[in-house]
Amino acid sequence: MTKYVFVTGGVVSSLGKGIAAASLAAILESRGLKVTMLKLDPYINVDPGTMSPFQHGEVFVTEDGAETDLDLGHYERFISTKMKKANNFTTGQIYESVLRKERRGEYLGKTVQVIPHITNEIQAFVERGASAAWGGETDVAIVEIGGTVGDIESLPFLEAARQMSLRLGRNSCCFVHLTLVPFIPSAGELKTKPTQHSVQKLREIGIYPDALLCRADRRIPDDERSKISMFSNVQLEAVISVWDADTIYKIPAMLEAQQLDDIVLEKLQINAPKADLSRWAEIVYAQENPEQEITIGMVGKYVDLTESYKSLIEALNHAGLHTRTKVQIKYIDSEDLESGGSDELKKLDGILVPGGFGKRGTEGKIAAIRFARENKVPYLGICLGMQLAVIEFARHCAGLTKANSTEFDSQCPEPVVALITEWQGADGRVETRNESSDLGGTMRLGSQRVPIQQGTLASRIYGAEVNERHRHRYEVNNNFVPQLEAAGLRISARTPSENLPEMMELPDHPWFVGVQFHPEFTSTPRESHPLFLAYVKAAMGYKQNKTI
């Protein structure tokens, strides 16, 4: 029978609840347990797919094609379990499901209410998500509840968790609460009152935390921990100090040293071997002891909010870990390149254009791509970054001077990138779309296995095939591919069923690769991704021989 750890937050958001939950999961996995994770988001959007990155940060895509919260990326980076659609749901999905049932008459004419109907649905979603990864054989499911205690939006989720703990029994659920212990410079001390009030608010709704994770910019002294323990009615050993760390990969060892895993397993009455965190120690050592340094220019339009590129940043860092290289990322606003010229690009060891949507900043990205192509700078284009690389090549090398994407100009005379109307989804079903389709649910999403053309740079990186996750609406237009290939561009991978270009490269360039998928979603610190590893190595080689 699956047992549950509910992780809640208090005082303020952005304290690292997802990292803390994932770190606990990593410790439990190292103790030989089958662990999965869920994220419950209190917003009414059905999924984060149509939300601005400025509002929500990165949208993480699962293997089975779900657009989910970025915390699921942390989950996959910290544990080996692959997340699925069932591992993330929102208030919008819950209400949508309940309303469908009401329309079908499943409630037999009863008045539909938050309690019991909404809270029962939340519990059903939690139990379904817990069994998704391991086919019902999960030992522990760690459930992160979004928002903070006291929010109106998260109350139904907290009530559902309380009901689950009552229904499943005393040792089936454990509650871990993450709060802030701020340091007040004018007073010269840490203040425990916010944590006291947060726990008090949690207890008012019937949830009594078994452990407190107290976030601060420094270690919390025992005197303050004792005070928190007394006023929160939590055992002193269960008041865990979680201070700022220079890398998130130190958090598992930080929590294990304070025996958080023992506290949780004792509450759940689970016996497991001692934790083995040697792999995490190796990762931290590699990160703290680089032997060289490179600078990668990430050219985008969300550079003021790096959370928009969370998985991508981590993937570059993972490649750095495995090459003992410190990867410095210089964020370059693509709109600045449209007017400011390319001087700042000369200092880079590699150029990367990530995925994105919309016309704004695209000409600046194209200028950066042209600089990389003409000056032989290692280039990696992801999703939109591949499409813009094709447009740049078409304009300046293949005689298609008016080349563009119909996403930016629906009437462009040379649409080398266009909206396709039919494709095969991750589950094998044929999906269709058109210009008037809803934005939500009209993209090619999830993993797709694709053969690679032998003798290409792509084959040297991946081997015979590639299996990566997608999130896009527009594709390279096959009608223009013969003209592009005649000018020197090479399509090195195509989807087997629709014949859609998946990878492109330039054979006369030392390292120039564009991919239609998102490889960053499958990179972990334990095993660096082959594409990012090859890209970082190319940037290292370029730096040694740079002439610009």
Side-chain angles (χ1 to χ4, degrees):
M1 174 181 163
T2 301
K3 299 196 174 185
Y4 297 87
V5 179
F6 291 98
V7 180
T8 57
V11 187
V12 295
S13 58
S14 302
L15 291 180
K17 189 162 70 245
I19 296 293
S23 297
L24 173 59
I27 303 170
L28 297 182
E29 185 178 74
S30 79
R31 298 185 66 159
L33 298 175
K34 294 180 179 178
V35 183
T36 192
M37 304 191 69
L38 289 83
K39 175 68 183 292
L40 282 53
D41 280 309
Y43 51 75
I44 298 176
N45 304 66
V46 173
D47 59 51
T50 57
M51 296 169 68
S52 166
F54 289 109
Q55 286 274 320
H56 192 267
E58 175 188 77
V59 175
F60 185 81
V61 178
T62 60
E63 277 190 347
D64 58 354
E67 295 176 286
T68 69
D69 185 84
L70 62 83
D71 276 326
L72 271 74
H74 291 312
Y75 301 167
E76 288 203 0
R77 286 188 282 274
F78 275 80
I79 63 174
S80 59
T81 309
K82 295 299 182 185
M83 299 296 108
K84 298 184 179 180
K85 289 181 180 181
N87 291 87
N88 180 213
F89 59 88
T90 69
T91 292
Q93 291 175 27
I94 294 296
Y95 274 84
E96 186 179 53
S97 178
V98 167
L99 289 172
R100 280 200 303 264
K101 290 182 177 181
E102 187 272 335
R103 293 289 82 189
R104 290 195 298 265
E106 292 187 25
Y107 298 122
L108 302 175
K110 293 179 181 177
T111 300
V112 179
Q113 298 176 290
V114 173
I115 300 173
H117 301 100
I118 295 298
T119 52
N120 285 350
E121 197 71 9
I122 291 170
Q123 293 178 66
F125 271 54
V126 168
E127 291 179 315
R128 184 188 68 184
S131 64
W134 296 96
E137 298 179 1
T138 308
D139 295 318
V140 179
I142 297 179
V143 184
E144 178 191 349
I145 299 177
T148 55
V149 172
D151 294 345
I152 292 174
E153 293 90 345
S154 60
L155 276 174
F157 290 114
L158 294 168
E159 172 61 17
R162 185 195 68 80
Q163 291 179 18
M164 277 191 72
S165 68
L166 184 66
R167 174 171 59 86
L168 296 178
R170 180 184 299 272
N171 299 113
S172 294
C173 296
C174 177
F175 289 94
V176 176
H177 189 54
L178 179 75
T179 72
L180 175 67
V181 181
F183 179 81
I184 308 300
S186 59
E189 60 183 358
L190 291 162
K191 291 296 184 180
T192 65
K193 193 64 73 176
T195 292
Q196 294 176 41
H197 282 301
S198 180
V199 175
Q200 182 182 20
K201 195 71 178 176
L202 195 62
R203 292 170 64 188
E204 284 177 3
I205 59 178
I207 294 176
Y208 300 86
D210 299 290
L212 293 178
L213 303 183
C214 300
R215 284 284 289 114
D217 63 350
R218 64 201 68 201
R219 292 175 187 259
I220 300 175
D222 288 345
D223 286 348
E224 277 74 15
R225 290 178 56 244
S226 296
K227 189 175 180 180
I228 292 170
S229 170
M230 179 176 64
F231 283 102
S232 302
N233 199 36
V234 174
Q235 293 292 324
L236 176 60
E237 61 269 19
V239 178
I240 308 295
S241 176
V242 187
W243 57 92
D244 290 348
D246 54 5
T247 170
I248 59 175
Y249 302 124
K250 287 183 177 179
I251 307 302
M254 181 189 297
L255 299 181
E256 192 269 342
Q258 298 177 77
Q259 300 180 317
L260 175 62
D261 51 321
D262 290 334
I263 294 166
V264 169
L265 295 184
E266 182 180 354
K267 173 63 191 297
L268 299 177
Q269 291 190 343
I270 296 175
N271 293 317
K274 184 176 173 59
D276 178 7
L277 298 182
S278 57
R279 176 182 289 178
W280 295 100
E282 292 169 1
I283 290 169
V284 170
Y285 181 83
Q287 191 165 26
E288 292 184 334
N289 296 275
E291 297 174 352
Q292 53 200 322
E293 182 177 315
I294 59 171
T295 302
I296 300 296
M298 188 182 296
V299 184
K301 64 179 181 179
Y302 303 123
V303 293
D304 291 332
L305 184 67
T306 56
E307 287 287 289
S308 304
Y309 305 117
K310 191 64 179 175
S311 291
L312 189 49
I313 294 166
E314 290 300 313
L316 289 169
N317 288 332
H318 300 160
L321 290 175
H322 289 265
T323 56
R324 300 294 293 276
T325 304
K326 183 175 183 180
V327 180
Q328 294 278 18
I329 301 175
K330 181 176 177 59
Y331 301 98
I332 300 172
D333 191 322
S334 56
E335 289 184 290
D336 292 343
L337 292 178
E338 295 178 355
S339 57
S342 59
D343 284 349
E344 61 181 324
L345 301 178
K346 296 178 181 179
K347 304 174 184 178
L348 303 174
D349 304 313
I351 292 173
L352 189 155
V353 174
F357 297 90
K359 183 179 180 179
R360 183 169 64 85
T362 54
E363 292 302 321
K365 295 175 185 178
I366 288 172
I369 294 167
R370 183 176 187 178
F371 181 90
R373 179 180 57 79
E374 293 180 343
N375 293 283
K376 308 300 183 184
V377 180
Y379 175 75
L380 175 59
I382 296 174
C383 198
L384 179 63
M386 168 179 158
Q387 296 172 4
L388 294 177
V390 172
I391 292 171
E392 189 283 324
F393 187 88
R395 288 180 184 178
H396 303 117
C397 299
L400 298 166
T401 57
K402 298 179 180 180
N404 212 335
S405 167
T406 57
E407 180 181 6
F408 317 136
D409 180 3
S410 60
Q411 302 301 318
C412 68
E414 294 168 336
V416 297
V417 176
L419 186 77
I420 66 162
T421 59
E422 189 173 285
W423 77 103
Q424 185 172 320
D427 57 3
R429 293 185 301 176
V430 174
E431 308 282 353
T432 60
R433 62 186 164 196
N434 56 48
E435 296 288 355
S436 62
S437 297
D438 290 342
L439 290 180
T442 60
M443 289 192 282
R444 185 149 69 98
L445 289 164
S447 292
Q448 190 167 10
R449 198 173 295 275
V450 175
I452 292 177
Q453 190 177 118
Q454 294 306 297
T456 60
L457 175 58
S459 67
R460 295 198 295 275
I461 294 170
Y462 277 105
E465 66 176 13
V466 59
N467 184 22
E468 298 282 14
R469 305 176 192 182
H470 300 74
R471 183 178 182 254
H472 65 279
R473 292 186 182 86
Y474 292 80
E475 311 278 356
V476 174
N477 190 340
N478 270 323
N479 293 328
F480 292 91
V481 168
Q483 188 171 345
L484 294 170
E485 290 190 317
L489 181 145
R490 187 169 189 178
I491 301 297
S492 45
R494 292 176 175 272
T495 60
S497 52
E498 310 92 345
N499 202 38
L500 298 172
E502 281 280 279
M503 299 183 72
M504 60 80 68
E505 57 190 67
L506 300 180
D508 64 348
H509 190 287
W511 208 98
F512 192 107
V513 175
V515 298
Q516 186 59 80
F517 43 79
H518 287 269
E520 67 269 26
F521 291 145
T522 54
S523 179
T524 76
R526 301 179 299 278
E527 299 174 1
S528 179
H529 192 285
L531 182 60
F532 289 99
L533 199 60
Y535 176 58
V536 165
K537 288 179 178 179
M540 290 162 54
Y542 174 76
K543 181 178 183 178
Q544 294 172 0
N545 302 297
K546 183 158 52 175
T547 58
I548 293 180

PDB file of all heavy atoms in Angstrom, residues 370-382:
ATOM      1  N   ARG A 370      23.207  33.972 -37.552  1.00  0.00           N
ATOM      2  CA  ARG A 370      24.073  34.283 -38.694  1.00  0.00           C
ATOM      3  C   ARG A 370      25.518  34.487 -38.238  1.00  0.00           C
ATOM      4  O   ARG A 370      26.461  34.009 -38.887  1.00  0.00           O
ATOM      5  CB  ARG A 370      23.562  35.533 -39.403  1.00  0.00           C
ATOM      6  CG  ARG A 370      24.366  35.873 -40.654  1.00  0.00           C
ATOM      7  CD  ARG A 370      23.777  37.054 -41.396  1.00  0.00           C
ATOM      8  NE  ARG A 370      24.465  37.250 -42.675  1.00  0.00           N
ATOM      9  CZ  ARG A 370      24.151  38.197 -43.568  1.00  0.00           C
ATOM     10  NH1 ARG A 370      23.132  39.029 -43.306  1.00  0.00           N
ATOM     11  NH2 ARG A 370      24.832  38.315 -44.692  1.00  0.00           N
ATOM     12  N   PHE A 371      25.684  35.156 -37.099  1.00  0.00           N
ATOM     13  CA  PHE A 371      27.028  35.355 -36.556  1.00  0.00           C
ATOM     14  C   PHE A 371      27.689  34.016 -36.253  1.00  0.00           C
ATOM     15  O   PHE A 371      28.860  33.797 -36.584  1.00  0.00           O
ATOM     16  CB  PHE A 371      26.949  36.207 -35.285  1.00  0.00           C
ATOM     17  CG  PHE A 371      28.282  36.495 -34.662  1.00  0.00           C
ATOM     18  CD1 PHE A 371      29.013  37.613 -35.018  1.00  0.00           C
ATOM     19  CD2 PHE A 371      28.821  35.621 -33.711  1.00  0.00           C
ATOM     20  CE1 PHE A 371      30.255  37.864 -34.437  1.00  0.00           C
ATOM     21  CE2 PHE A 371      30.054  35.872 -33.132  1.00  0.00           C
ATOM     22  CZ  PHE A 371      30.775  36.990 -33.501  1.00  0.00           C
ATOM     23  N   ALA A 372      26.943  33.107 -35.634  1.00  0.00           N
ATOM     24  CA  ALA A 372      27.489  31.785 -35.309  1.00  0.00           C
ATOM     25  C   ALA A 372      27.862  31.019 -36.565  1.00  0.00           C
ATOM     26  O   ALA A 372      28.909  30.363 -36.624  1.00  0.00           O
ATOM     27  CB  ALA A 372      26.479  30.993 -34.483  1.00  0.00           C
ATOM     28  N   ARG A 373      27.018  31.091 -37.584  1.00  0.00           N
ATOM     29  CA  ARG A 373      27.283  30.350 -38.831  1.00  0.00           C
ATOM     30  C   ARG A 373      28.500  30.909 -39.551  1.00  0.00           C
ATOM     31  O   ARG A 373      29.401  30.168 -39.953  1.00  0.00           O
ATOM     32  CB  ARG A 373      26.058  30.410 -39.743  1.00  0.00           C
ATOM     33  CG  ARG A 373      26.255  29.679 -41.080  1.00  0.00           C
ATOM     34  CD  ARG A 373      25.018  29.750 -41.962  1.00  0.00           C
ATOM     35  NE  ARG A 373      24.594  31.108 -42.232  1.00  0.00           N
ATOM     36  CZ  ARG A 373      25.158  31.920 -43.139  1.00  0.00           C
ATOM     37  NH1 ARG A 373      26.199  31.491 -43.855  1.00  0.00           N
ATOM     38  NH2 ARG A 373      24.708  33.141 -43.330  1.00  0.00           N
ATOM     39  N   GLU A 374      28.566  32.228 -39.692  1.00  0.00           N
ATOM     40  CA  GLU A 374      29.644  32.837 -40.473  1.00  0.00           C
ATOM     41  C   GLU A 374      30.989  32.801 -39.764  1.00  0.00           C
ATOM     42  O   GLU A 374      32.039  32.737 -40.411  1.00  0.00           O
ATOM     43  CB  GLU A 374      29.278  34.283 -40.812  1.00  0.00           C
ATOM     44  CG  GLU A 374      28.096  34.394 -41.777  1.00  0.00           C
ATOM     45  CD  GLU A 374      27.725  35.827 -42.107  1.00  0.00           C
ATOM     46  OE1 GLU A 374      28.148  36.749 -41.364  1.00  0.00           O
ATOM     47  OE2 GLU A 374      27.005  36.034 -43.091  1.00  0.00           O
ATOM     48  N   ASN A 375      30.966  32.816 -38.438  1.00  0.00           N
ATOM     49  CA  ASN A 375      32.226  32.844 -37.682  1.00  0.00           C
ATOM     50  C   ASN A 375      32.589  31.497 -37.068  1.00  0.00           C
ATOM     51  O   ASN A 375      33.499  31.417 -36.244  1.00  0.00           O
ATOM     52  CB  ASN A 375      32.125  33.912 -36.584  1.00  0.00           C
ATOM     53  CG  ASN A 375      32.054  35.317 -37.151  1.00  0.00           C
ATOM     54  OD1 ASN A 375      33.056  35.876 -37.582  1.00  0.00           O
ATOM     55  ND2 ASN A 375      30.858  35.892 -37.168  1.00  0.00           N
ATOM     56  N   LYS A 376      31.856  30.457 -37.471  1.00  0.00           N
ATOM     57  CA  LYS A 376      32.156  29.084 -37.059  1.00  0.00           C
ATOM     58  C   LYS A 376      32.081  28.889 -35.538  1.00  0.00           C
ATOM     59  O   LYS A 376      32.807  28.080 -34.955  1.00  0.00           O
ATOM     60  CB  LYS A 376      33.539  28.641 -37.559  1.00  0.00           C
ATOM     61  CG  LYS A 376      33.757  28.857 -39.052  1.00  0.00           C
ATOM     62  CD  LYS A 376      32.748  28.079 -39.897  1.00  0.00           C
ATOM     63  CE  LYS A 376      33.027  28.245 -41.394  1.00  0.00           C
ATOM     64  NZ  LYS A 376      32.006  27.565 -42.241  1.00  0.00           N
ATOM     65  N   VAL A 377      31.194  29.631 -34.887  1.00  0.00           N
ATOM     66  CA  VAL A 377      30.981  29.494 -33.445  1.00  0.00           C
ATOM     67  C   VAL A 377      30.021  28.323 -33.213  1.00  0.00           C
ATOM     68  O   VAL A 377      28.999  28.220 -33.899  1.00  0.00           O
ATOM     69  CB  VAL A 377      30.373  30.783 -32.855  1.00  0.00           C
ATOM     70  CG1 VAL A 377      30.155  30.639 -31.343  1.00  0.00           C
ATOM     71  CG2 VAL A 377      31.262  31.979 -33.159  1.00  0.00           C
ATOM     72  N   PRO A 378      30.317  27.423 -32.287  1.00  0.00           N
ATOM     73  CA  PRO A 378      29.390  26.312 -32.012  1.00  0.00           C
ATOM     74  C   PRO A 378      27.980  26.838 -31.741  1.00  0.00           C
ATOM     75  O   PRO A 378      27.794  27.741 -30.914  1.00  0.00           O
ATOM     76  CB  PRO A 378      29.994  25.642 -30.777  1.00  0.00           C
ATOM     77  CG  PRO A 378      31.454  25.946 -30.873  1.00  0.00           C
ATOM     78  CD  PRO A 378      31.543  27.319 -31.454  1.00  0.00           C
ATOM     79  N   TYR A 379      27.005  26.252 -32.418  1.00  0.00           N
ATOM     80  CA  TYR A 379      25.631  26.721 -32.300  1.00  0.00           C
ATOM     81  C   TYR A 379      24.693  25.561 -32.001  1.00  0.00           C
ATOM     82  O   TYR A 379      24.776  24.494 -32.617  1.00  0.00           O
ATOM     83  CB  TYR A 379      25.160  27.396 -33.599  1.00  0.00           C
ATOM     84  CG  TYR A 379      23.690  27.775 -33.541  1.00  0.00           C
ATOM     85  CD1 TYR A 379      23.263  28.859 -32.791  1.00  0.00           C
ATOM     86  CD2 TYR A 379      22.722  27.011 -34.196  1.00  0.00           C
ATOM     87  CE1 TYR A 379      21.914  29.194 -32.696  1.00  0.00           C
ATOM     88  CE2 TYR A 379      21.376  27.333 -34.108  1.00  0.00           C
ATOM     89  CZ  TYR A 379      20.978  28.425 -33.359  1.00  0.00           C
ATOM     90  OH  TYR A 379      19.648  28.746 -33.256  1.00  0.00           O
ATOM     91  N   LEU A 380      23.794  25.791 -31.040  1.00  0.00           N
ATOM     92  CA  LEU A 380      22.729  24.841 -30.746  1.00  0.00           C
ATOM     93  C   LEU A 380      21.406  25.589 -30.761  1.00  0.00           C
ATOM     94  O   LEU A 380      21.218  26.549 -30.005  1.00  0.00           O
ATOM     95  CB  LEU A 380      22.950  24.183 -29.374  1.00  0.00           C
ATOM     96  CG  LEU A 380      21.838  23.236 -28.886  1.00  0.00           C
ATOM     97  CD1 LEU A 380      21.624  22.083 -29.872  1.00  0.00           C
ATOM     98  CD2 LEU A 380      22.170  22.696 -27.492  1.00  0.00           C
ATOM     99  N   GLY A 381      20.496  25.156 -31.632  1.00  0.00           N
ATOM    100  CA  GLY A 381      19.168  25.746 -31.722  1.00  0.00           C
ATOM    101  C   GLY A 381      18.126  24.735 -31.274  1.00  0.00           C
ATOM    102  O   GLY A 381      18.096  23.613 -31.777  1.00  0.00           O
ATOM    103  N   ILE A 382      17.294  25.124 -30.331  1.00  0.00           N
ATOM    104  CA  ILE A 382      16.292  24.222 -29.772  1.00  0.00           C
ATOM    105  C   ILE A 382      14.906  24.704 -30.147  1.00  0.00           C
ATOM    106  O   ILE A 382      14.546  25.851 -29.849  1.00  0.00           O
ATOM    107  CB  ILE A 382      16.442  24.116 -28.246  1.00  0.00           C
ATOM    108  CG1 ILE A 382      17.797  23.483 -27.900  1.00  0.00           C
ATOM    109  CG2 ILE A 382      15.307  23.322 -27.628  1.00  0.00           C
ATOM    110  CD1 ILE A 382      18.111  23.472 -26.422  1.00  0.00           C
TER     111      ILE A 382
END
